[in-house]
Amino acid sequence: MPRRTLPLVVAVLGTALTTPALAAVPFLNARCPGGIDVHADAGGPVYVQGRQTTLKHVNDRYAEARDAQSGLTVSISTGDDGTPQVSYTGRNGVNGICQVSDSAAAPPPSPAHRHDTDGDAALPNEVTCESTDQRQVSCDMNTRGAVEVSRQLSRTRCEQGVNWGLSRQSVWVSGGCRAVFRNTSSAPRAAPAGDTALESCNARKGDQGTLVTQVPVGSDYQELIIDYSDGRFLCMLRNNGQVQSLTPVRRR
C-alpha cells in the first residue's frame, strides 16, 4: 500500500468508529389498518395487539417482528434522520403501512427504567375497559403478573388474544368486549383493622357508631355496616384508610 494513502484509511476508520449506530428498534407506538396496534420498546421487545412477538434484528436499521397467532410480520425501519417507519404483511397477501404515533418522537426511556416497578405500582390493579362501536381501546393498568377478567360487562364474550390482551402498562379491548380486569398477582394493601376502619368512618360521619359487620370488597376496599344514632349506614373504605362513601341503609 502506498504510504500516502495511509492517512486517508485511518481517517475513514476513525469516522466509522465514532459514528453512532442506529438502534434497529426504536421506542414507538403505531396503528396499522384493521385496528392493529403495535408497540415497541427501545431495542425490543415488540408487541402486536398486546402479544409479545418473535423479534429478528436484520441490521442496525431494520428489524422484523412476527406474531405467530395472527400470522402478521411487522417491519420496522429507521431513516437517516432516526424517523421510524412501520409496515406489515399477513396471511393471504394482506399488507399495509402503519401510522406511527407522534408520541413516539419523545425520547425513549433508558434501559434501566424500561421496567420500572415504581411506575407499575402507580397504576391501578383493577380497571373497567370498554370497546364501544367495536373499536379498540387501551386502558392504563398494572399488568405485571397475572391479569384476568374479574367481571364481564358485555354480551360479547371477552377472550384473551382475540378481543382483549395486555401491553406493558395497559390492557386493550376490541370487538365489543367490555369487562372489569383485575391483576391477581399484586398483593392487596393490608386492610385497616376494625377499630381503625371504624374511626375513619366515624370521623367522616361526625358521630360515634357501632360496627355491625366489616367485609373486604375486591382487593382495594372494605365494606362496613355501622349503627349510628340516626340509623344504619354503609361505609365504603379504601384500604389506605380513605372513606369513599357513607350512605344510609336504614333511618331511625
Side-chain angles (χ1 to χ4, degrees):
M1 178 183 295
R3 181 171 299 185
R4 65 178 178 275
T5 64
L6 184 59
L8 178 60
V9 173
V10 172
V12 171
L13 289 175
T15 302
L17 292 174
T18 57
T19 301
L22 295 175
V25 180
F27 175 84
L28 61 85
N29 292 296
R31 189 70 182 272
C32 305
I36 301 167
D37 279 342
V38 176
H39 168 78
D41 286 344
V46 176
Y47 299 88
V48 171
Q49 299 292 69
R51 296 183 296 270
Q52 186 169 339
T53 62
T54 301
L55 182 61
K56 177 183 178 182
H57 291 268
V58 179
N59 55 48
D60 61 1
R61 293 196 180 190
Y62 181 76
E64 292 182 345
R66 178 170 174 77
D67 176 34
Q69 180 169 317
S70 65
L72 293 178
T73 297
V74 176
S75 301
I76 301 174
S77 59
T78 306
D80 292 338
D81 60 353
T83 302
Q85 296 179 337
V86 181
S87 61
Y88 77 96
T89 58
R91 299 187 179 109
N92 301 320
V94 174
N95 64 85
I97 303 297
C98 307
Q99 181 67 42
V100 178
S101 170
D102 291 340
S103 63
S110 65
H113 293 89
R114 284 218 319 261
H115 301 289
D116 185 359
T117 55
D118 290 340
D120 292 322
L123 295 170
N125 293 324
E126 185 173 287
V127 296
T128 299
C129 206
E130 305 181 47
S131 166
T132 55
D133 298 328
Q134 305 294 307
R135 291 178 298 179
Q136 180 162 315
V137 176
S138 294
C139 303
D140 291 342
M141 182 182 183
N142 176 11
T143 57
R144 290 178 64 88
V147 175
E148 65 179 24
V149 175
S150 64
R151 188 167 73 255
Q152 184 164 305
L153 305 176
S154 58
R155 293 184 178 179
T156 301
R157 180 178 175 80
C158 296
E159 298 182 60
Q160 187 171 11
V162 177
N163 54 10
W164 78 271
L166 304 174
S167 297
R168 185 163 61 89
Q169 290 186 329
S170 64
V171 58
W172 61 265
V173 294
S174 64
C177 169
R178 296 185 296 116
V180 179
F181 297 89
R182 182 180 176 188
N183 188 323
T184 58
S185 299
S186 301
R189 298 173 179 172
D195 290 345
T196 303
L198 179 60
E199 288 173 5
S200 298
C201 295
N202 284 348
R204 173 71 172 268
K205 174 66 173 171
D207 191 5
Q208 294 300 309
T210 302
L211 181 64
V212 179
T213 61
Q214 179 181 357
V215 295
V217 178
S219 60
D220 298 318
Y221 289 90
Q222 296 287 308
E223 178 185 276
L224 288 79
I225 301 295
I226 305 171
D227 280 338
Y228 288 107
S229 57
D230 58 344
R232 179 164 291 184
F233 281 70
L234 168 63
C235 179
M236 291 297 295
L237 182 72
R238 290 182 179 271
N239 284 347
N240 62 5
Q242 178 185 357
V243 176
Q244 182 72 15
S245 63
L246 187 65
T247 55
V249 176
R250 184 176 67 242
R251 295 283 188 180
R252 293 190 192 281

